[in-house]
């Protein structure tokens, strides 16, 4: 014990009690740091002897200090200085929260993900950051009719609790598509979630423990990065190229680590819009089987495929290893929050547990609406009608990029999805560029937010799902203007410091 | 290294390569446990010397073992035996999942919570376990009209993404009720969640770190217990009596532990249906301020108050310390999944983070519906119309309990909510009673599932919100029959073993 308080010179004649004086000295020692958090105080017997007081007074001193939040007593172990500062009316009333809340250091990706919901979206701004479709394509009239029907016919049922796996009829509709696309065989494998975003979070909470090693594509969907990081895992990024995840790079990691999970988007990857090639997919599955890791395959963009032709999903080949997540967000609206996860084996039951303890189940009303919509057969007609439109917008955006930014960036034509992935030929400060872009009336997502680790290469994701061809072109024109302004300032360091 | 493999007697003349023979020996040693998980293998140089082979052959042996999933190499540290068994076509294909999934030991409460969603609910069974209201009271016709309106007028908007805090107009409607009831002042304090269940989980994920000490009422809502247990905290239960949480018992815990959070339901507690008395509420808040802990106040049943008069919520007095959660689940339907949390200080922003990474936001469609419903003013009229009905059913159930189970149990009249809490005068095996009750055509929730730690006292929660007075009486009659059967068997130990 480093405790070294002089307790011999107490005023035993004056008006203040010895108890009050001792309490005051301990408080001062704790507030000044002379007594550190967690430090053990002398036993009441030792205190009584040192301060020449009786044992009951020593007990009273410690009780007062405990009442005031300065010390805490552990039965059989003694009395200790608390690590949480005691309340103090003078200080900022929220100071104490910061002292007691667990550490939470949001990563750059986390920040950008939140910021992307807060980026300016007023009419004057061209949002190339927003990846969601034009709300005009959502079948709101049909869903309105369905919602009214569901509540008129179902009465209180669509407002009542469901079991955590979700509405059986909806799970059956999803499983039917699973049989066609290869992500599931039966409704038992399906758990309905509040969007694919929740499905990813449930998978991470079910499979990943702090300290585990997990792998994801880099760049990838920010939500995958965030959920993996929140799980306390070590997240290793593997590059993606025109054929998707670099499986050779993955093998080198597997030789060195016991990897728990590899997260991919095997079709129309976000943000690159490219597929995992069949040869690489085959090798990835072989590795999963040999090395016993889970593959999380996020298929949200795989249905948004320009040619409308669907390859069987990865889970088709190795259902106990591949956990598949998907949603209706890219087709009938992310605001509905209807997604699902397909899995089997012990992890399937865990997902039900974690779902139950997260939010009981996904809204019954929206599940009933989604079920009737899928059962109507309109869904596939909507996909057939909208996907060619995305191809058209994609090509227009590619042409605009070529026209306004051809010297600055490289880009590959995606096979589907809503995004282009632009990499800069020369380094540029992404944050400075985003500020300048907002000044010029356009937004984008900074590329490094989508990487497992920031790299020296600057990149950005721009999206074509929401805007008309003319708006896309105007957006890229403004982006090019912002790039020129940032390059210009960077070439004059004195001015850069002022920006 | 305990490694002790004899490598001197390799067959150097035969048909099999030395590499294959060495790989085989290592595999056999690992499979038999002679080489344990995590054990370090000799360096390639040492292996070459020991087995009298060249260095390149030693490297090849380890590469093969790595490819087969037996070992893993860490740069600069060496080669180690993997803890995950390698794939084996002969074994159950899900065996490997159990080897890699993190430990998850559901508690008795967890099990009962999940089971309560799976308890028999066919027509013949009287479900006294179900705490949710009769779906006939839900305003499904009005909500159907509203949903159709929302989608007709809003077009794609109610199907589009929102920011994680929720729909601003809905947050404003909730905050208005917050000003009347004392749980919030402004809409900034409100985060919309997918039911109070998710709000509780978000609070636990934001505030509690593994190893923290947290306190809850015992008995309490199973969902509170589950979320606290999942957070990895040490959960200490404090008894409740007719005046709510025993604050003296809490003080004794506070003197010994740095408590992070105290979870209560200060009005119409689930399952006891009693209020925290004003004197105890005052002392709880004083302690929270002095000792710097959060109070989680779950108000879901506080609006279901028989006399319709509302006491200001705890958060009114100490808004930075009290985090309030509530929902529309007990009034217009749990299936809608609309709840909220009211908080301020640094924890408020954390809740937004965790919500974003959990499921992005709560369904836009249901938030729009909830907003128009609250704005219509019908909500308060519904409460005024339904709450007296609950008082009537409660009194009828109390009379039935008195009539059929008066000798067996003790019970107090609740001031609100949907439940009665029955404690047995004599010990009885709750699990055996639940099995027998299902055989007799009635279900209930076993009391020990609602305790922080199982106690010697048997108890049960039975609910009156859903059933008509005659059904309630029939349910209690069957319960009494089940109790008699279990008592009868217990008095004849030979037969009990057969049951």
């Amino acid at each position: 014990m480093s405790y070294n308080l002089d307790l011999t010179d107490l005023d035993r004649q004056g008006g203040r009690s010895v108890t009050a004086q001792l309490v005051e000295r301990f408080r001062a020692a704790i507030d000044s740091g002379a007594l550190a958090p967690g430090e053990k105080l002398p036993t009441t017997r030792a205190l009584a002897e040192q301060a020449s007081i009786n044992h009951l007074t020593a007990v009273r001193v410690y009780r007062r200090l405990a009442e005031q939040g300065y010390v805490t007593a552990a039965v059989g172990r003694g009395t200790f200085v608390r690590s949480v500062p005691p309340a103090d009316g003078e200080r900022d009333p929220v100071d104490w929260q910061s002292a007691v809340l667990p550490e939470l250091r949001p990563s750059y990706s986390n920040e950008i993900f939140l910021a992307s919901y807060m980026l300016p979206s007023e009419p004057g701004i061209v949002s190339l950051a927003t990846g969601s479709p034009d709300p005009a394509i959502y079948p709101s009239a049909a869903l309105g009719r369905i919602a009214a029907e569901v509540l008129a016919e179902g009465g209180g049922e669509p407002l009542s609790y469901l079991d955590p796996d979700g509405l059986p009829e909806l799970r059956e509709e999803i499983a039917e598509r699973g049989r066609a696309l290869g992500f599931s065989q039966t409704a038992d494998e399906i758990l309905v979630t509040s969007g694919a975003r929740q499905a990813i979070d449930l998978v991470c909470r079910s499979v990943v423990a702090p300290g585990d090693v997990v792998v994801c594509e880099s760049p990838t969907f920010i939500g995958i990065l965030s959920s993996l990081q929140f799980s306390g895992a070590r997240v290793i990024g593997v590059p993606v190229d025109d054929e998707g995840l670099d499986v050779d790079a993955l093998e080198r990691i597997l030789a060195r680590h016991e990897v728990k999970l590899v997260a991919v988007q095997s079709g129309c990857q976000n943000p690159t819009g490219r597929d995992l090639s069949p040869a690489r997919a085959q090798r990835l599955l072989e590795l999963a089987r040999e090395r016993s890791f889970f593959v999380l395959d996020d298929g949200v963009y795989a249905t948004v495929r320009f040619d409308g032709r669907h390859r069987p999903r990865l889970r088709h080949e190795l259902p106990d290893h591949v956990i598949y997540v998907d949603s209706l967000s890219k087709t009938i609206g992310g605001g509905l929050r209807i997604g699902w996860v397909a899995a089997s084996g012990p992890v399937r039951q865990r997902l039900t547990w974690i779902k139950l303890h997260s939010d009981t189940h996904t809204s019954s009303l929206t599940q009933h609406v989604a079920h009737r919509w899928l059962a109507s057969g309109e869904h596939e007609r909507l996909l057939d009608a909208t996907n060619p439109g995305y191809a058209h917008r994609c090509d227009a955006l590619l042409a605009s990029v070529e026209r306004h930014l051809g010297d600055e960036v490289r880009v590959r034509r995606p096979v589907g999805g809503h995004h282009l992935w632009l990499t800069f030929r020369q380094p540029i400060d992404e944050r400075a560029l985003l500020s300048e872009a907002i000044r010029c009336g356009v937004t984008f997502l900074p590329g490094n937010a989508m990487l497992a680790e920031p790299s020296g290469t600057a990149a950005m994701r721009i999206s074509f799902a929401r805007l008309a061809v003319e708006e896309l072109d105007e957006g890229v024109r403004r982006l090019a203007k912002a790039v020129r302004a940032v390059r210009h300032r960077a070439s004059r360091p004195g001015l850069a410091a002022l920006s």
Side-chain angles (χ1 to χ4, degrees), chain A:
Chain A
M1 196 194 70
S2 65
Y3 158 78
N4 190 19
L5 219 53
D6 184 8
L7 302 173
T8 52
D9 59 341
L10 298 167
D11 176 5
R12 288 159 209 274
Q13 260 59 58
R16 294 189 69 221
S17 76
V18 170
T19 306
Q21 292 177 61
L22 280 169
V23 165
E24 188 46 53
R25 290 198 191 190
F26 275 103
R27 284 180 50 154
I30 292 170
D31 282 336
S32 72
L35 278 169
E39 209 162 317
K40 188 174 179 177
L41 300 191
T43 61
T44 44
R45 185 179 305 267
L47 175 62
E49 198 169 307
Q50 239 178 312
S52 307
I53 53 177
N54 71 47
H55 185 243
L56 283 180
T57 305
V59 169
R60 202 179 309 125
V61 167
Y62 283 176
R63 201 179 57 223
R64 286 274 166 84
L65 286 166
E67 283 165 5
Q68 294 172 13
Y70 276 85
V71 303
T72 185
V75 180
R77 293 199 302 124
T79 302
F80 300 85
V81 178
R82 291 189 72 202
S83 55
V84 178
D88 178 348
E90 301 295 304
R91 278 183 266 169
D92 181 331
V94 296
D95 256 13
W96 72 272
Q97 281 197 10
S98 304
V100 303
L101 286 169
E103 189 186 36
L104 176 72
R105 259 184 302 197
S107 67
Y108 178 50
S109 301
N110 296 155
E111 281 174 30
I112 292 291
F113 193 51
L114 183 58
S116 71
Y117 284 84
M118 315 292 187
L119 280 177
S121 59
E122 48 262 43
I125 301 262
V126 179
S127 173
L128 297 176
T130 309
S132 52
D134 182 351
I137 71 147
Y138 298 147
S140 43
L143 297 182
R145 274 194 307 276
I146 290 174
E149 265 170 43
V150 159
L151 284 160
E153 294 168 23
E157 200 207 319
L159 299 170
S160 297
Y161 287 112
L162 285 173
D163 84 47
D165 285 335
L167 187 69
E169 307 91 285
L170 173 60
R171 294 167 65 205
E172 195 47 69
E173 279 294 330
I174 292 168
E176 194 181 311
R177 281 150 184 89
R179 283 186 287 274
L181 296 172
F183 65 73
S184 65
Q185 288 298 316
T186 72
D188 290 344
E189 295 165 278
I190 306 295
L191 168 78
V192 179
T193 61
S194 300
R197 184 71 193 82
Q198 185 186 44
I200 292 166
D201 197 53
L202 296 177
V203 171
C204 291
R205 290 176 82 182
S206 300
V207 170
V208 184
D212 281 348
V213 177
V214 295
V215 168
C216 67
E217 296 165 316
S218 187
T220 186
F221 169 48
I222 298 184
I224 288 180
L225 272 182
S226 300
S227 277
L228 290 175
Q229 286 164 351
F230 268 109
S231 70
R234 174 168 174 201
V235 184
I236 302 181
V238 166
V240 288
D241 59 26
D242 288 350
E243 294 180 55
L245 184 85
D246 180 345
V247 176
D248 290 340
L250 173 64
E251 280 201 63
R252 290 191 292 273
I253 290 163
L254 290 171
R256 281 161 185 77
H257 298 282
E258 295 204 2
V259 169
K260 182 65 74 75
L261 177 136
V262 176
V264 297
Q265 301 186 64
S266 63
C268 311
Q269 200 250 3
N270 171 10
T272 62
R274 307 289 299 182
D275 283 344
L276 185 64
S277 72
R280 287 193 182 175
Q282 208 48 50
R283 183 68 190 133
L284 172 64
L285 296 176
E286 278 166 26
L287 289 168
R289 208 182 52 77
E290 285 169 23
R291 305 303 180 89
S292 297
F293 57 81
F294 287 100
V295 175
L296 169 60
D297 188 19
D298 171 359
V300 292
Y301 285 108
T303 37
V304 187
R305 195 178 194 80
F306 300 153
D307 66 8
R309 282 192 296 202
H310 293 290
R311 302 187 320 163
R313 303 293 195 270
L314 285 183
R315 189 161 183 271
H316 179 62
E317 305 250 340
L318 205 60
D320 290 329
H321 290 72
V322 182
I323 303 174
Y324 181 78
V325 305
D326 202 343
S327 79
L328 300 179
S329 298
K330 307 307 164 195
T331 50
I332 64 167
L336 205 59
R337 309 311 299 133
I338 292 289
W340 61 90
V341 52
S344 49
V347 72
R348 174 65 189 81
Q349 173 66 14
R350 293 213 176 192
L351 289 164
T352 300
W353 276 101
I354 307 286
K355 172 70 179 168
L356 174 66
H357 294 296
S358 295
D359 61 3
T360 317
H361 63 79
T362 291
S363 166
S364 310
L365 177 60
T366 55
Q367 290 196 59
H368 275 276
V369 169
H371 161 244
R372 289 210 187 193
W373 165 254
L374 290 179
S376 74
E378 287 298 321
H379 190 64
E380 281 65 28
R381 276 193 284 278
L382 179 73
L383 297 184
D384 290 345
T386 49
N387 285 350
Y390 291 130
H392 174 64
R393 290 184 189 192
C394 174
D395 287 332
L397 185 59
L398 279 165
S400 295
V401 168
E402 184 54 43
R403 190 156 51 240
H404 302 297
L405 280 170
D407 297 343
E408 280 285 351
V409 302
R410 289 191 183 85
V411 61
R412 284 286 312 234
R413 184 177 195 269
V415 298
H418 291 160
H419 320 289
L420 292 186
W421 176 247
L422 313 185
T423 51
F424 281 87
R425 295 171 196 270
Q426 302 296 330
I428 191 167
D429 181 333
E430 286 179 7
R431 287 183 195 238
L433 181 57
L434 183 56
S435 303
E436 185 60 37
I438 292 171
R439 250 194 298 268
C440 294
V442 61
T443 60
F444 63 88
L445 277 194
N448 275 278
M450 277 160 272
L451 301 181
E453 275 184 69
S455 82
T457 311
M460 63 168 88
R461 192 192 83 172
I462 58 176
S463 301
F464 50 79
R466 196 184 191 92
L467 302 177
V469 166
E470 308 72 47
E471 293 172 295
L472 293 172
D473 190 65
E474 175 60 19
V476 179
R477 207 189 54 74
R478 293 180 189 181
L479 255 187
K481 189 176 155 203
V483 170
R484 282 193 302 273
V486 171
R487 295 257 184 249
H488 182 65
R489 267 210 300 281
S491 68
R492 299 165 67 193
L495 280 177
L498 295 174
S499 76

